[in-house]
Amino acid sequence: MTDRHEQTARTASDERERDFDVVVVVGGGAAGLSGALTLARARRSMLVVDAGGPRNAPASAVHNYLGREGTPPARLLAEGRAEVARYGGSVLSGEVIAVERTKDGRFRVVPAGGSPVRARRLLVATGLADEPPKVAGLAER
């Protein structure tokens, strides 16, 4: 087990059948990290599993996000992960390949290439995927 104040950025193989209060699945973006931060501050053991493909990755800056106007998306997420870690939360870089409900009512979450983890609750913050129209120059903006 890690110290509650140690920053934890892990690979999938580092999580060995750990049991959490909550697993935030497919959601290391702003919404998922906000939920994770709230849970970690409430002293809930929690794990964020994030594949690292936020919707706003192509943008040069975050807009209309109070107090963070103009922040590059990657920096916002790095700072969010650090905040979660400061409160004892864990962040696992990777993709979830399976989630199942167990007989005892818990969730078993299987990250790609890693060991399954268990959780009493599941928070899914998947976000959206943009499918922009094929308009010349739009992708670059």
Side-chain angles (χ1 to χ4, degrees):
M1 285 279 234
T2 59
D3 180 60
R4 288 192 64 81
H5 299 288
E6 179 183 327
Q7 184 168 348
T8 53
R10 304 173 182 279
T11 62
S13 62
D14 292 332
E15 295 300 328
R16 308 248 189 264
E17 288 291 330
R18 289 186 58 196
D19 204 7
F20 295 92
D21 289 323
V22 181
V23 174
V24 182
V25 178
V26 191
L33 287 172
S34 292
L37 181 60
T38 299
L39 291 162
R41 290 191 67 207
R43 305 192 60 78
R44 299 289 182 242
S45 61
M46 50 72 45
L47 171 69
V48 174
V49 182
D50 181 46
R55 177 183 182 202
N56 64 349
S60 61
V62 172
H63 298 290
N64 300 319
Y65 195 59
L66 187 62
R68 307 305 284 178
E69 182 70 25
T71 302
R75 188 169 112 208
L76 177 69
L77 297 181
E79 290 174 3
R81 283 180 169 209
E83 286 180 21
V84 168
R86 277 197 302 271
Y87 285 97
S90 296
V91 177
L92 174 66
S93 295
E95 186 176 357
V96 171
I97 58 172
V99 176
E100 64 185 11
R101 194 80 183 239
T102 61
K103 290 180 183 178
D104 65 358
R106 292 180 178 266
F107 293 93
R108 183 172 183 264
V109 178
V110 182
S115 300
V117 294
R118 292 171 33 95
R120 290 184 318 132
R121 299 283 186 262
L122 195 62
L123 173 59
V124 179
T126 57
L128 300 171
D130 289 322
E131 294 183 28
K134 294 181 182 175
V135 173
L138 182 62
E140 293 77 26
R141 295 288 301 157

